Amino acid sequence: MNKALHVAIIMDGNGRWAESKKQKRVKGHEQGAKAVREITKFCATHKDIERLTLYAFSTENWKRPRLEVEFLMKLLEKYLKNELEVYIKNNIRFEPIGDIRAFSASLQKLIKEVKQKTAHCDGLVQSLALNYGSHDEILRAVNKLRHEKKDITNEMLSNALDCKHQVDIMIRTGGDQRISNFLLWQLSYAELFFTDTLWPDFHEDELTDILNEFGKRERRFGGLN
Ligand code: FPP
């Protein structure tokens, strides 16, 4: 198996998890944050995984009720404050993607601080996609490159994106089978896995099964084997 896998996850189903337990939707997000920690720590110890990119807040999530958005912002702040120690202890580098300029000044400061304080870590790279949308990412990259005199190459565009790394394994929890504006450029040859498990119930044993299944798939990248 490739020793440097990039795993990306669309963490869906927090709301339904809470509703199934007759709890408020936000309780599902709280439990979802715990699953983020568990899966991140597992990936940090896994010999084959180099990068883990998690869809935490999309450019479209602002359409949710104001109170839910506010809760998610507070949860993110709490998570990052607590997590700094966990990142450093587990040698995890935090590299957010997305346009964080839409967040409050204090949250932007915290995101930059955690990034900077973990910059020396050379184990797993955990990327949280924050105010992230693939169209927005590609447009920002194209705008960065628009004054180039020469034709834009694949490499130039890749390097101008927030996430410069192709994905090997894309997992979506929560039962839906769509990509929802996540890493469209980077998913070109990713192996896709969809599970009905709701994100708060997604644990390392299921990720291990997916990694085993991935190991059996034949990747041809458009060529012949
Ligand atoms: C989808 O569940 C999940 C999100 C909107 C974003 C993911 C957020 C978390 C995992 C929690 C916070 C994360 C961090 C890093 C602090 P949904 O609400 O769409 O679920 P539903 O489809 O059941 O309604």
Side-chain angles (χ1 to χ4, degrees), residues 84-112:
L84 179 58
E85 204 184 312
V86 178
Y87 285 136
I88 292 174
K89 198 164 152 217
N90 293 279
N91 197 23
I92 298 167
R93 190 159 82 243
F94 172 66
E95 282 184 3
I97 58 169
D99 187 355
I100 64 164
R101 292 171 299 179
F103 295 142
S104 69
S106 61
L107 186 51
Q108 287 183 50
K109 185 165 171 264
L110 177 63
I111 292 167
K112 287 179 193 158

Coordinates of all heavy atoms in Angstrom, one line a residue, residues 84-112:
L84 N -4.8 22.2 20.6 CA -3.4 22.5 20.4 C -2.4 21.6 21.1 O -1.5 21.1 20.5 CB -3.2 24.0 20.8 CG -1.7 24.5 20.7 CD1 -1.3 24.4 19.2 CD2 -1.6 25.9 21.2
E85 N -2.8 21.3 22.3 CA -1.9 20.3 23.1 C -1.9 18.9 22.5 O -0.9 18.3 22.4 CB -2.5 20.3 24.5 CG -1.6 19.9 25.6 CD -2.3 19.7 26.9 OE1 -3.1 20.7 27.2 OE2 -2.2 18.7 27.5
V86 N -3.1 18.5 22.0 CA -3.2 17.2 21.4 C -2.4 17.1 20.1 O -1.7 16.1 19.8 CB -4.7 16.8 21.1 CG1 -4.9 15.5 20.4 CG2 -5.6 16.9 22.4
Y87 N -2.5 18.2 19.3 CA -1.7 18.2 18.1 C -0.2 18.1 18.4 O 0.5 17.3 17.8 CB -1.9 19.6 17.3 CG -3.3 19.8 16.6 CD1 -3.9 21.0 16.8 CD2 -3.8 18.8 15.8 CE1 -5.1 21.2 16.1 CE2 -5.0 19.0 15.2 CZ -5.7 20.2 15.3 OH -6.9 20.4 14.6
I88 N 0.2 18.9 19.3 CA 1.7 18.9 19.6 C 2.1 17.5 20.2 O 3.1 17.0 19.7 CB 2.1 20.1 20.5 CG1 1.9 21.4 19.7 CG2 3.5 20.0 21.0 CD1 2.0 22.7 20.4
K89 N 1.3 17.0 21.1 CA 1.7 15.8 21.7 C 1.8 14.6 20.7 O 2.6 13.7 20.8 CB 0.6 15.4 22.8 CG 1.0 14.4 23.8 CD 0.1 14.4 25.0 CE 0.1 13.0 25.6 NZ -1.2 12.6 26.1
N90 N 0.9 14.7 19.7 CA 0.8 13.6 18.7 C 1.6 14.0 17.4 O 1.4 13.3 16.4 CB -0.6 13.3 18.4 CG -1.3 12.6 19.6 OD1 -1.2 11.4 19.8 ND2 -2.0 13.4 20.3
N91 N 2.3 15.1 17.4 CA 3.2 15.5 16.3 C 2.3 15.8 15.0 O 2.7 15.4 13.9 CB 4.2 14.4 16.0 CG 5.3 14.9 15.1 OD1 5.6 16.1 15.1 ND2 6.0 14.0 14.5
I92 N 1.1 16.3 15.2 CA 0.2 16.6 14.1 C 0.3 18.1 13.7 O 0.3 19.0 14.5 CB -1.3 16.3 14.6 CG1 -1.4 14.9 14.9 CG2 -2.2 16.7 13.4 CD1 -2.7 14.6 15.7
R93 N 0.5 18.3 12.4 CA 0.6 19.6 11.9 C -0.8 20.1 11.4 O -1.5 19.3 10.7 CB 1.6 19.7 10.7 CG 1.9 21.1 10.2 CD 3.2 21.1 9.5 NE 3.1 20.7 8.1 CZ 3.7 19.7 7.6 NH1 4.4 18.9 8.3 NH2 3.5 19.4 6.3
F94 N -1.3 21.2 11.8 CA -2.6 21.7 11.5 C -2.5 22.7 10.3 O -1.8 23.7 10.4 CB -3.2 22.4 12.7 CG -4.5 23.1 12.4 CD1 -5.6 22.4 12.1 CD2 -4.6 24.5 12.5 CE1 -6.8 23.1 11.8 CE2 -5.8 25.2 12.3 CZ -6.9 24.5 12.0
E95 N -3.1 22.3 9.2 CA -3.0 23.2 8.0 C -4.4 23.4 7.5 O -4.9 22.7 6.6 CB -2.2 22.5 6.9 CG -0.7 22.6 7.1 CD 0.1 22.0 5.9 OE1 -0.5 21.6 4.9 OE2 1.3 22.0 6.1
P96 N -5.1 24.5 8.0 CA -6.5 24.7 7.5 C -6.5 25.1 6.0 O -5.6 25.6 5.5 CB -6.9 25.9 8.4 CG -5.6 26.6 8.7 CD -4.6 25.5 8.8
I97 N -7.7 24.8 5.4 CA -7.9 25.2 4.0 C -9.2 25.9 4.0 O -10.1 25.7 4.9 CB -7.9 24.0 3.0 CG1 -9.0 23.0 3.4 CG2 -6.5 23.4 2.9 CD1 -9.2 21.9 2.2
G98 N -9.5 26.8 3.0 CA -10.7 27.6 3.0 C -10.4 29.0 3.2 O -9.2 29.4 3.5
D99 N -11.4 29.9 3.0 CA -11.2 31.3 3.2 C -11.6 31.8 4.5 O -12.8 32.0 4.8 CB -12.0 32.0 2.1 CG -11.7 33.5 2.0 OD1 -11.0 34.0 2.9 OD2 -12.3 34.2 1.1
I100 N -10.7 31.8 5.4 CA -11.1 32.1 6.8 C -11.4 33.6 7.1 O -11.7 34.0 8.2 CB -10.0 31.6 7.8 CG1 -8.7 32.3 7.7 CG2 -9.8 30.1 7.7 CD1 -7.7 32.1 8.9
R101 N -11.2 34.4 6.1 CA -11.5 35.9 6.3 C -12.9 36.2 6.6 O -13.2 37.2 7.1 CB -11.1 36.7 5.0 CG -9.6 36.7 4.7 CD -9.3 37.3 3.4 NE -9.9 36.5 2.3 CZ -9.8 36.8 1.0 NH1 -9.1 37.9 0.6 NH2 -10.4 36.1 0.1
A102 N -13.8 35.2 6.4 CA -15.2 35.4 6.8 C -15.5 35.2 8.2 O -16.5 35.5 8.7 CB -16.1 34.4 6.0
F103 N -14.5 34.6 9.0 CA -14.7 34.4 10.4 C -14.4 35.6 11.2 O -13.7 36.5 10.8 CB -13.8 33.2 10.9 CG -14.2 31.9 10.2 CD1 -13.2 31.0 9.9 CD2 -15.5 31.5 10.0 CE1 -13.5 29.8 9.3 CE2 -15.8 30.3 9.4 CZ -14.8 29.4 9.0
S104 N -14.8 35.6 12.5 CA -14.5 36.7 13.4 C -13.0 36.9 13.5 O -12.2 35.9 13.3 CB -15.1 36.4 14.8 OG -14.4 35.4 15.4
A105 N -12.6 38.1 13.9 CA -11.1 38.4 14.0 C -10.5 37.4 15.1 O -9.4 36.9 14.8 CB -10.9 39.8 14.4
S106 N -11.2 37.1 16.2 CA -10.6 36.3 17.2 C -10.5 34.8 16.7 O -9.4 34.2 17.0 CB -11.4 36.4 18.5 OG -12.7 35.9 18.3
L107 N -11.5 34.4 16.0 CA -11.3 33.0 15.4 C -10.2 32.9 14.4 O -9.4 31.9 14.4 CB -12.7 32.5 14.9 CG -12.8 31.1 14.4 CD1 -12.3 30.1 15.5 CD2 -14.2 30.7 14.0
Q108 N -10.1 33.9 13.5 CA -9.0 33.9 12.5 C -7.7 33.9 13.3 O -6.8 33.1 12.9 CB -9.1 35.2 11.7 CG -10.2 35.2 10.7 CD -10.1 36.5 9.9 OE1 -9.1 36.8 9.3 NE2 -11.3 37.2 9.8
K109 N -7.6 34.6 14.3 CA -6.3 34.7 15.1 C -6.0 33.3 15.7 O -4.8 32.9 15.6 CB -6.5 35.8 16.2 CG -5.2 36.0 17.0 CD -5.4 37.3 17.8 CE -4.2 37.5 18.7 NZ -4.5 37.1 20.1
L110 N -7.0 32.7 16.2 CA -6.8 31.4 16.8 C -6.3 30.3 15.8 O -5.4 29.6 16.0 CB -8.1 30.9 17.5 CG -8.1 29.6 18.2 CD1 -7.1 29.4 19.3 CD2 -9.5 29.2 18.7
I111 N -7.0 30.4 14.6 CA -6.7 29.4 13.5 C -5.2 29.6 13.1 O -4.5 28.6 13.0 CB -7.7 29.6 12.3 CG1 -9.1 29.2 12.7 CG2 -7.2 28.9 11.1 CD1 -10.2 29.6 11.7
K112 N -4.8 30.9 13.0 CA -3.4 31.2 12.5 C -2.4 30.7 13.6 O -1.4 30.2 13.3 CB -3.3 32.6 12.2 CG -4.0 33.0 10.9 CD -3.8 34.5 10.6 CE -4.7 35.0 9.5 NZ -5.0 36.4 9.6

